[in-house]
Amino acid sequence: MFQTRTLLLLTTAGAFALAGCTDPANLPNGAQKTQEGAIIGGVVGGLAGLATAGSNPTKSALLGAAAGAAAGGLIGNRLDQQEAALRQSINNSNIQIVNTGSELKVIMPQGILFATDSAAVNPSIYGDLGALATNLTQYPDSVVEVVGHTDNTGAAAYNQTLSLQRAQSVASILVSNGVPSNRLVPIGRGEDQPIASNLTEEGKAQNRRVEVIIRPTA
């Protein structure tokens, strides 16, 4: 047990070292995300190496950390580039682009996408969805979840159905702009994953949204 804990600590420390010694506060935002990806990849790789270790678990864990840090750093760097390209091509201040270091989220409120109780996409947003589709085709190594969300007004079953229909509508526009359908996974979450309180109109407006979640595959 002691040896396992020691190896876990070594793996984590090694991942941080492999990610670089620069203070993250002094790095530009993109570099911070790349470093975060390297750290996450290093820890995961180290744990994988430890889990499959043979006669030399320390070596296996550190080799796994090195490989994981390299892969995580590459993914983080690619996400930085894709994020920058998205910000250049989408000029709608209502659309949020969030880079977590392991995935990108493009968050669009219902107000710019749909009328109340409708799953028909507003034509005024077609240009931004087209720009998103172009970005996805330029960065093909990912799977993309298109996730619909509602507030808690009305019946939960109705909200679930509406959220899925909205996700499918957005996904179909991305497909019509060249994104392969097998990369897209439409999902309806209904009212189950609020990001704000449903007790206020402002909170409800935040909860009514579609999130396009871009997850690298390699």
Side-chain angles (χ1 to χ4, degrees):
M1 180 67 177
F2 176 78
Q3 183 185 39
T4 299
R5 291 176 61 187
T6 301
L7 287 173
L8 288 174
L9 290 172
L10 284 172
T11 297
T12 304
F16 275 90
L18 288 163
C21 299
T22 305
D23 183 353
N26 296 325
L27 292 171
N29 184 60
Q32 287 184 46
K33 294 302 181 184
T34 300
Q35 188 181 64
E36 288 169 11
I39 291 169
I40 293 169
V43 172
V44 172
L47 291 173
L50 182 58
T52 58
S55 60
N56 193 336
T58 301
K59 180 179 179 181
S60 296
L62 292 177
L63 287 174
L74 288 173
I75 287 173
N77 182 261
R78 190 188 314 143
L79 285 177
D80 293 339
Q81 295 176 9
Q82 188 170 7
E83 176 194 5
L86 271 174
R87 293 189 184 280
Q88 287 184 346
S89 59
I90 296 178
N91 298 312
N92 191 326
S93 61
N94 293 307
I95 297 176
Q96 297 180 40
I97 300 170
V98 179
N99 185 347
T100 70
S102 60
E103 64 187 20
L104 287 178
K105 291 185 178 182
V106 181
I107 305 171
M108 297 171 282
Q110 175 204 294
I112 64 174
L113 283 169
F114 309 103
T116 302
D117 291 333
S118 172
V121 177
N122 190 331
S124 66
I125 199 69
Y126 283 8
D128 290 313
L129 291 176
L132 174 57
T134 298
N135 180 274
L136 292 175
T137 58
Q138 290 172 341
Y139 293 86
D141 296 325
S142 64
V143 292
V144 183
E145 291 183 359
V146 184
V147 188
H149 300 269
T150 69
D151 62 26
N152 67 347
T153 303
Y158 175 82
N159 290 333
Q160 172 65 33
T161 299
L162 180 62
S163 68
L164 177 58
Q165 291 172 341
R166 287 176 167 176
Q168 291 169 334
S169 293
V170 171
S172 79
I173 291 177
L174 296 177
V175 170
S176 71
N177 280 275
V179 181
S181 60
N182 61 1
R183 286 183 62 195
L184 299 171
V185 184
I187 299 171
R189 297 296 187 198
E191 60 190 62
D192 291 341
Q193 294 183 349
I195 56 174
S197 172
N198 277 311
L199 297 178
T200 67
E201 291 305 315
E202 293 79 5
K204 287 182 177 181
Q206 293 181 57
N207 292 332
R208 298 189 297 265
R209 68 201 189 276
V210 171
E211 296 185 357
V212 178
I213 305 172
I214 304 165
R215 293 196 172 99
T217 56

mmCIF file of all heavy atoms in Angstrom, residues 27-66:
data_model
loop_
_atom_site.group_PDB
_atom_site.id
_atom_site.type_symbol
_atom_site.label_atom_id
_atom_site.label_comp_id
_atom_site.label_asym_id
_atom_site.label_seq_id
_atom_site.Cartn_x
_atom_site.Cartn_y
_atom_site.Cartn_z
ATOM 1 N N LEU A 27 2.087 32.456 -17.832
ATOM 2 C CA LEU A 27 1.912 31.953 -19.188
ATOM 3 C C LEU A 27 0.722 32.622 -19.846
ATOM 4 O O LEU A 27 -0.252 32.972 -19.180
ATOM 5 C CB LEU A 27 1.676 30.443 -19.159
ATOM 6 C CG LEU A 27 2.845 29.565 -18.723
ATOM 7 C CD1 LEU A 27 2.357 28.139 -18.539
ATOM 8 C CD2 LEU A 27 3.982 29.621 -19.705
ATOM 9 N N PRO A 28 0.749 32.801 -21.191
ATOM 10 C CA PRO A 28 -0.460 33.236 -21.879
ATOM 11 C C PRO A 28 -1.534 32.175 -21.748
ATOM 12 O O PRO A 28 -1.247 31.003 -21.487
ATOM 13 C CB PRO A 28 0.005 33.387 -23.344
ATOM 14 C CG PRO A 28 1.227 32.548 -23.449
ATOM 15 C CD PRO A 28 1.876 32.583 -22.096
ATOM 16 N N ASN A 29 -2.800 32.570 -21.954
ATOM 17 C CA ASN A 29 -3.910 31.663 -21.714
ATOM 18 C C ASN A 29 -3.777 30.362 -22.498
ATOM 19 O O ASN A 29 -3.992 29.285 -21.984
ATOM 20 C CB ASN A 29 -5.229 32.340 -22.070
ATOM 21 C CG ASN A 29 -6.424 31.452 -21.750
ATOM 22 O OD1 ASN A 29 -6.628 31.080 -20.615
ATOM 23 N ND2 ASN A 29 -7.198 31.107 -22.771
ATOM 24 N N GLY A 30 -3.417 30.439 -23.782
ATOM 25 C CA GLY A 30 -3.296 29.241 -24.591
ATOM 26 C C GLY A 30 -2.260 28.290 -24.038
ATOM 27 O O GLY A 30 -2.468 27.081 -23.960
ATOM 28 N N ALA A 31 -1.106 28.841 -23.604
ATOM 29 C CA ALA A 31 -0.049 27.992 -23.066
ATOM 30 C C ALA A 31 -0.483 27.349 -21.761
ATOM 31 O O ALA A 31 -0.107 26.228 -21.454
ATOM 32 C CB ALA A 31 1.225 28.820 -22.861
ATOM 33 N N GLN A 32 -1.272 28.070 -20.964
ATOM 34 C CA GLN A 32 -1.776 27.483 -19.732
ATOM 35 C C GLN A 32 -2.597 26.240 -20.038
ATOM 36 O O GLN A 32 -2.480 25.227 -19.361
ATOM 37 C CB GLN A 32 -2.647 28.483 -18.977
ATOM 38 C CG GLN A 32 -1.873 29.614 -18.321
ATOM 39 C CD GLN A 32 -2.780 30.503 -17.510
ATOM 40 O OE1 GLN A 32 -3.599 30.013 -16.756
ATOM 41 N NE2 GLN A 32 -2.635 31.801 -17.671
ATOM 42 N N LYS A 33 -3.473 26.326 -21.053
ATOM 43 C CA LYS A 33 -4.320 25.188 -21.387
ATOM 44 C C LYS A 33 -3.486 24.017 -21.893
ATOM 45 O O LYS A 33 -3.760 22.864 -21.594
ATOM 46 C CB LYS A 33 -5.356 25.596 -22.437
ATOM 47 C CG LYS A 33 -6.366 26.613 -21.934
ATOM 48 C CD LYS A 33 -7.120 26.091 -20.729
ATOM 49 C CE LYS A 33 -8.146 27.093 -20.244
ATOM 50 N NZ LYS A 33 -8.842 26.656 -19.026
ATOM 51 N N THR A 34 -2.448 24.314 -22.684
ATOM 52 C CA THR A 34 -1.566 23.250 -23.162
ATOM 53 C C THR A 34 -0.873 22.574 -21.988
ATOM 54 O O THR A 34 -0.761 21.353 -21.918
ATOM 55 C CB THR A 34 -0.522 23.822 -24.138
ATOM 56 O OG1 THR A 34 -1.205 24.407 -25.238
ATOM 57 C CG2 THR A 34 0.416 22.740 -24.635
ATOM 58 N N GLN A 35 -0.407 23.387 -21.022
ATOM 59 C CA GLN A 35 0.259 22.821 -19.857
ATOM 60 C C GLN A 35 -0.707 21.990 -19.019
ATOM 61 O O GLN A 35 -0.363 20.907 -18.543
ATOM 62 C CB GLN A 35 0.856 23.940 -19.007
ATOM 63 C CG GLN A 35 1.739 23.415 -17.866
ATOM 64 C CD GLN A 35 2.295 24.540 -17.030
ATOM 65 O OE1 GLN A 35 1.542 25.265 -16.393
ATOM 66 N NE2 GLN A 35 3.605 24.698 -17.024
ATOM 67 N N GLU A 36 -1.942 22.484 -18.860
ATOM 68 C CA GLU A 36 -2.938 21.720 -18.116
ATOM 69 C C GLU A 36 -3.188 20.367 -18.779
ATOM 70 O O GLU A 36 -3.310 19.340 -18.108
ATOM 71 C CB GLU A 36 -4.251 22.500 -18.033
ATOM 72 C CG GLU A 36 -4.173 23.694 -17.099
ATOM 73 C CD GLU A 36 -5.376 24.602 -17.230
ATOM 74 O OE1 GLU A 36 -6.358 24.192 -17.887
ATOM 75 O OE2 GLU A 36 -5.337 25.718 -16.698
ATOM 76 N N GLY A 37 -3.257 20.359 -20.117
ATOM 77 C CA GLY A 37 -3.456 19.105 -20.829
ATOM 78 C C GLY A 37 -2.306 18.145 -20.604
ATOM 79 O O GLY A 37 -2.504 16.943 -20.435
ATOM 80 N N ALA A 38 -1.088 18.679 -20.568
ATOM 81 C CA ALA A 38 0.080 17.833 -20.337
ATOM 82 C C ALA A 38 0.051 17.233 -18.936
ATOM 83 O O ALA A 38 0.366 16.064 -18.735
ATOM 84 C CB ALA A 38 1.357 18.650 -20.544
ATOM 85 N N ILE A 39 -0.351 18.042 -17.952
ATOM 86 C CA ILE A 39 -0.411 17.546 -16.575
ATOM 87 C C ILE A 39 -1.463 16.455 -16.452
ATOM 88 O O ILE A 39 -1.212 15.387 -15.881
ATOM 89 C CB ILE A 39 -0.694 18.707 -15.603
ATOM 90 C CG1 ILE A 39 0.518 19.644 -15.545
ATOM 91 C CG2 ILE A 39 -1.007 18.170 -14.206
ATOM 92 C CD1 ILE A 39 0.252 20.945 -14.817
ATOM 93 N N ILE A 40 -2.654 16.722 -16.987
ATOM 94 C CA ILE A 40 -3.724 15.720 -16.918
ATOM 95 C C ILE A 40 -3.294 14.440 -17.628
ATOM 96 O O ILE A 40 -3.457 13.333 -17.112
ATOM 97 C CB ILE A 40 -5.017 16.268 -17.545
ATOM 98 C CG1 ILE A 40 -5.558 17.415 -16.680
ATOM 99 C CG2 ILE A 40 -6.071 15.176 -17.676
ATOM 100 C CD1 ILE A 40 -6.674 18.201 -17.348
ATOM 101 N N GLY A 41 -2.740 14.583 -18.822
ATOM 102 C CA GLY A 41 -2.293 13.403 -19.563
ATOM 103 C C GLY A 41 -1.204 12.652 -18.836
ATOM 104 O O GLY A 41 -1.176 11.419 -18.835
ATOM 105 N N GLY A 42 -0.310 13.397 -18.179
ATOM 106 C CA GLY A 42 0.762 12.744 -17.446
ATOM 107 C C GLY A 42 0.254 11.930 -16.284
ATOM 108 O O GLY A 42 0.702 10.810 -16.047
ATOM 109 N N VAL A 43 -0.682 12.484 -15.529
ATOM 110 C CA VAL A 43 -1.233 11.751 -14.389
ATOM 111 C C VAL A 43 -1.975 10.512 -14.863
ATOM 112 O O VAL A 43 -1.799 9.411 -14.324
ATOM 113 C CB VAL A 43 -2.165 12.659 -13.561
ATOM 114 C CG1 VAL A 43 -2.891 11.842 -12.491
ATOM 115 C CG2 VAL A 43 -1.366 13.791 -12.924
ATOM 116 N N VAL A 44 -2.815 10.670 -15.891
ATOM 117 C CA VAL A 44 -3.565 9.525 -16.410
ATOM 118 C C VAL A 44 -2.620 8.478 -16.967
ATOM 119 O O VAL A 44 -2.772 7.275 -16.721
ATOM 120 C CB VAL A 44 -4.567 9.982 -17.490
ATOM 121 C CG1 VAL A 44 -5.211 8.773 -18.158
ATOM 122 C CG2 VAL A 44 -5.639 10.865 -16.868
ATOM 123 N N GLY A 45 -1.623 8.921 -17.728
ATOM 124 C CA GLY A 45 -0.669 7.971 -18.286
ATOM 125 C C GLY A 45 0.123 7.254 -17.215
ATOM 126 O O GLY A 45 0.388 6.051 -17.309
ATOM 127 N N GLY A 46 0.489 7.977 -16.177
ATOM 128 C CA GLY A 46 1.213 7.348 -15.080
ATOM 129 C C GLY A 46 0.382 6.300 -14.363
ATOM 130 O O GLY A 46 0.874 5.228 -14.018
ATOM 131 N N LEU A 47 -0.884 6.619 -14.133
ATOM 132 C CA LEU A 47 -1.765 5.648 -13.492
ATOM 133 C C LEU A 47 -1.949 4.417 -14.364
ATOM 134 O O LEU A 47 -1.990 3.288 -13.869
ATOM 135 C CB LEU A 47 -3.116 6.297 -13.185
ATOM 136 C CG LEU A 47 -3.096 7.368 -12.091
ATOM 137 C CD1 LEU A 47 -4.452 8.050 -12.006
ATOM 138 C CD2 LEU A 47 -2.712 6.767 -10.748
ATOM 139 N N ALA A 48 -2.054 4.639 -15.679
ATOM 140 C CA ALA A 48 -2.193 3.501 -16.585
ATOM 141 C C ALA A 48 -0.940 2.645 -16.563
ATOM 142 O O ALA A 48 -0.999 1.416 -16.551
ATOM 143 C CB ALA A 48 -2.480 3.994 -18.005
ATOM 144 N N GLY A 49 0.211 3.299 -16.536
ATOM 145 C CA GLY A 49 1.458 2.547 -16.461
ATOM 146 C C GLY A 49 1.568 1.761 -15.179
ATOM 147 O O GLY A 49 2.030 0.612 -15.163
ATOM 148 N N LEU A 50 1.123 2.366 -14.089
ATOM 149 C CA LEU A 50 1.154 1.673 -12.800
ATOM 150 C C LEU A 50 0.223 0.470 -12.795
ATOM 151 O O LEU A 50 0.551 -0.592 -12.278
ATOM 152 C CB LEU A 50 0.759 2.659 -11.693
ATOM 153 C CG LEU A 50 0.772 2.138 -10.253
ATOM 154 C CD1 LEU A 50 2.157 1.623 -9.890
ATOM 155 C CD2 LEU A 50 0.337 3.236 -9.298
ATOM 156 N N ALA A 51 -0.944 0.641 -13.400
ATOM 157 C CA ALA A 51 -1.929 -0.445 -13.404
ATOM 158 C C ALA A 51 -1.449 -1.649 -14.196
ATOM 159 O O ALA A 51 -1.833 -2.787 -13.916
ATOM 160 C CB ALA A 51 -3.254 0.070 -13.984
ATOM 161 N N THR A 52 -0.605 -1.404 -15.200
ATOM 162 C CA THR A 52 -0.135 -2.503 -16.050
ATOM 163 C C THR A 52 1.323 -2.856 -15.756
ATOM 164 O O THR A 52 1.979 -3.526 -16.550
ATOM 165 C CB THR A 52 -0.280 -2.122 -17.536
ATOM 166 O OG1 THR A 52 0.465 -0.926 -17.801
ATOM 167 C CG2 THR A 52 -1.738 -1.898 -17.894
ATOM 168 N N ALA A 53 1.830 -2.372 -14.623
ATOM 169 C CA ALA A 53 3.247 -2.561 -14.318
ATOM 170 C C ALA A 53 3.597 -4.027 -14.129
ATOM 171 O O ALA A 53 2.812 -4.814 -13.616
ATOM 172 C CB ALA A 53 3.599 -1.784 -13.047
ATOM 173 N N GLY A 54 4.819 -4.356 -14.516
ATOM 174 C CA GLY A 54 5.332 -5.702 -14.305
ATOM 175 C C GLY A 54 6.263 -5.714 -13.110
ATOM 176 O O GLY A 54 5.890 -5.344 -12.002
ATOM 177 N N SER A 55 7.508 -6.091 -13.343
ATOM 178 C CA SER A 55 8.456 -6.216 -12.246
ATOM 179 C C SER A 55 9.015 -4.878 -11.795
ATOM 180 O O SER A 55 9.632 -4.787 -10.736
ATOM 181 C CB SER A 55 9.619 -7.133 -12.682
ATOM 182 O OG SER A 55 10.274 -6.579 -13.815
ATOM 183 N N ASN A 56 8.825 -3.817 -12.592
ATOM 184 C CA ASN A 56 9.367 -2.502 -12.234
ATOM 185 C C ASN A 56 8.271 -1.457 -12.308
ATOM 186 O O ASN A 56 8.171 -0.691 -13.276
ATOM 187 C CB ASN A 56 10.514 -2.138 -13.188
ATOM 188 C CG ASN A 56 11.318 -0.946 -12.675
ATOM 189 O OD1 ASN A 56 10.811 -0.129 -11.905
ATOM 190 N ND2 ASN A 56 12.563 -0.844 -13.119
ATOM 191 N N PRO A 57 7.402 -1.390 -11.282
ATOM 192 C CA PRO A 57 6.272 -0.470 -11.341
ATOM 193 C C PRO A 57 6.678 0.991 -11.398
ATOM 194 O O PRO A 57 5.997 1.803 -12.008
ATOM 195 C CB PRO A 57 5.492 -0.795 -10.059
ATOM 196 C CG PRO A 57 6.469 -1.466 -9.163
ATOM 197 C CD PRO A 57 7.409 -2.207 -10.054
ATOM 198 N N THR A 58 7.804 1.362 -10.755
ATOM 199 C CA THR A 58 8.236 2.768 -10.791
ATOM 200 C C THR A 58 8.545 3.189 -12.224
ATOM 201 O O THR A 58 8.102 4.241 -12.697
ATOM 202 C CB THR A 58 9.478 2.964 -9.910
ATOM 203 O OG1 THR A 58 9.170 2.584 -8.575
ATOM 204 C CG2 THR A 58 9.922 4.423 -9.933
ATOM 205 N N LYS A 59 9.300 2.363 -12.927
ATOM 206 C CA LYS A 59 9.646 2.675 -14.311
ATOM 207 C C LYS A 59 8.401 2.732 -15.170
ATOM 208 O O LYS A 59 8.238 3.640 -16.004
ATOM 209 C CB LYS A 59 10.613 1.618 -14.854
ATOM 210 C CG LYS A 59 11.025 1.857 -16.306
ATOM 211 C CD LYS A 59 12.013 0.784 -16.767
ATOM 212 C CE LYS A 59 12.404 1.007 -18.227
ATOM 213 N NZ LYS A 59 13.346 -0.040 -18.685
ATOM 214 N N SER A 60 7.482 1.782 -14.989
ATOM 215 C CA SER A 60 6.255 1.757 -15.791
ATOM 216 C C SER A 60 5.428 3.011 -15.564
ATOM 217 O O SER A 60 4.887 3.607 -16.497
ATOM 218 C CB SER A 60 5.420 0.517 -15.447
ATOM 219 O OG SER A 60 6.118 -0.665 -15.793
ATOM 220 N N ALA A 61 5.329 3.432 -14.301
ATOM 221 C CA ALA A 61 4.533 4.614 -13.987
ATOM 222 C C ALA A 61 5.139 5.860 -14.603
ATOM 223 O O ALA A 61 4.438 6.698 -15.175
ATOM 224 C CB ALA A 61 4.405 4.771 -12.471
ATOM 225 N N LEU A 62 6.461 6.011 -14.509
ATOM 226 C CA LEU A 62 7.112 7.209 -15.045
ATOM 227 C C LEU A 62 7.085 7.229 -16.572
ATOM 228 O O LEU A 62 6.912 8.286 -17.189
ATOM 229 C CB LEU A 62 8.545 7.304 -14.526
ATOM 230 C CG LEU A 62 8.674 7.575 -13.016
ATOM 231 C CD1 LEU A 62 10.132 7.569 -12.585
ATOM 232 C CD2 LEU A 62 8.016 8.908 -12.654
ATOM 233 N N LEU A 63 7.268 6.062 -17.193
ATOM 234 C CA LEU A 63 7.154 6.006 -18.654
ATOM 235 C C LEU A 63 5.735 6.349 -19.096
ATOM 236 O O LEU A 63 5.525 7.067 -20.079
ATOM 237 C CB LEU A 63 7.553 4.614 -19.162
ATOM 238 C CG LEU A 63 9.047 4.284 -19.127
ATOM 239 C CD1 LEU A 63 9.274 2.826 -19.528
ATOM 240 C CD2 LEU A 63 9.830 5.220 -20.049
ATOM 241 N N GLY A 64 4.748 5.839 -18.358
ATOM 242 C CA GLY A 64 3.364 6.175 -18.674
ATOM 243 C C GLY A 64 3.100 7.653 -18.511
ATOM 244 O O GLY A 64 2.388 8.266 -19.306
ATOM 245 N N ALA A 65 3.674 8.254 -17.468
ATOM 246 C CA ALA A 65 3.497 9.689 -17.253
ATOM 247 C C ALA A 65 4.098 10.493 -18.395
ATOM 248 O O ALA A 65 3.518 11.474 -18.865
ATOM 249 C CB ALA A 65 4.124 10.101 -15.928
ATOM 250 N N ALA A 66 5.285 10.078 -18.861
ATOM 251 C CA ALA A 66 5.923 10.794 -19.955
ATOM 252 C C ALA A 66 5.085 10.727 -21.224
ATOM 253 O O ALA A 66 4.859 11.739 -21.906
ATOM 254 C CB ALA A 66 7.318 10.209 -20.212
#
